[in-house]
Amino acid sequence: MIEAIQEIIRRYSSRGVLIDTNILLLYFVGASNRSRIGKFKRTKQFTAEDYDLLISFMAQFQTVATMPNILTEVSSLINQLGEPDRSDCYILFANEVSLFQEAYIRSQEIASADWSFPKYGLTDCGIAKIAPNQYLVLTDDLKLTRYLNSLRIDTLNFNNLKD
C-alpha cells in the first residue's frame, strides 16, 4: 500500500492535489489553533498529528487546489466554531486562501451533466468534472472515494495515509 501511495504522489507532484472539504477544514482549524482540532465537532475525528501529516503531504505537490464549492462549505463549517476561534480561523482563511489554486466549473454544467448529480450533489460532481488527468483528489469521504474510483479518477482517502 505504501508503495502505491508513493507512486501516485510521484505522478501528481507536478500536476497537483485537490483537497476536499473536511481535509481543508482540518488545514484551517489546525493552522489557526492546533489544540482545537480534537475539540471542534467538525474536526474531532482528526488529531494534531493528522494535521502534521496533511502539511507534509501537501508539501509534496507544486499545486494545491480547491474549488469555490469546497471553500464555501469550509467557510460554513468554520462559522460553527465558537469565538475567538471562529474569528481567528476566518482571518487565517482570508490570508491563506490565495495559497490554493481555485479550479472552477459552472454550477449549471455540474448539475446538468449526468446521472450522478442527484446522488452526489454539486461539490462531489464538480470534483469529478475537474479532477481527471489534472489533480489527485484527497478526501476522507468514503462515498466520494468510491464514486471517483468508479470513474477511474485518482483518489486518496486521508485515512489510508494515516495507516
Side-chain angles (χ1 to χ4, degrees):
M1 178 73 116
I2 292 171
E3 289 176 15
I5 291 172
Q6 289 172 338
E7 173 56 29
I8 200 164
I9 290 170
R10 273 192 295 276
R11 273 191 282 140
Y12 282 90
S13 64
S14 62
R15 287 189 262 178
V17 61
L18 190 143
I19 308 290
D20 191 24
T21 304
N22 288 339
I23 308 302
L24 194 57
L25 180 65
L26 169 63
Y27 172 82
F28 284 116
V29 171
S32 67
N33 182 352
R34 287 172 58 90
S35 66
R36 188 69 161 150
I37 293 169
K39 298 173 186 168
F40 179 40
K41 67 180 176 180
R42 297 300 185 161
T43 56
K44 68 181 178 186
Q45 73 272 27
F46 300 114
T47 65
E49 292 76 22
D50 292 337
Y51 170 76
D52 295 337
L53 175 63
L54 175 60
I55 295 303
S56 71
F57 179 83
M58 289 169 53
Q60 298 178 72
F61 297 89
Q62 288 181 10
T63 301
V64 179
T66 188
M67 300 168 46
N69 312 73
I70 293 169
L71 291 170
T72 300
E73 288 182 0
V74 170
S75 178
S76 293
L77 294 170
I78 288 171
N79 195 48
Q80 297 175 19
L81 281 164
E83 289 296 351
D85 288 321
R86 176 180 31 240
S87 293
D88 292 344
C89 202
Y90 274 142
I91 290 167
L92 178 80
F93 185 98
N95 289 332
E96 294 201 4
V97 73
S98 63
L99 301 176
F100 299 90
Q101 179 177 311
E102 224 173 312
Y104 174 76
I105 185 168
R106 293 183 56 211
S107 296
Q108 178 183 7
E109 185 179 338
I110 297 168
S112 64
D114 58 38
W115 62 270
S116 60
F117 184 77
K119 185 170 183 178
Y120 296 99
L122 192 65
T123 301
D124 291 356
C125 289
I127 291 170
K129 290 276 184 199
I130 287 174
N133 303 312
Q134 186 169 0
Y135 301 115
L136 171 64
V137 177
L138 181 65
T139 186
D140 71 334
D141 182 337
L142 187 56
K143 181 179 174 185
L144 176 60
T145 300
R146 289 180 177 154
Y147 170 53
L148 297 177
N149 285 339
S150 76
L151 299 173
R152 300 193 189 288
I153 296 171
D154 290 325
T155 308
L156 281 178
N157 191 295
F158 188 74
N159 295 310
N160 292 335
L161 292 179
K162 295 185 336 181
D163 294 339

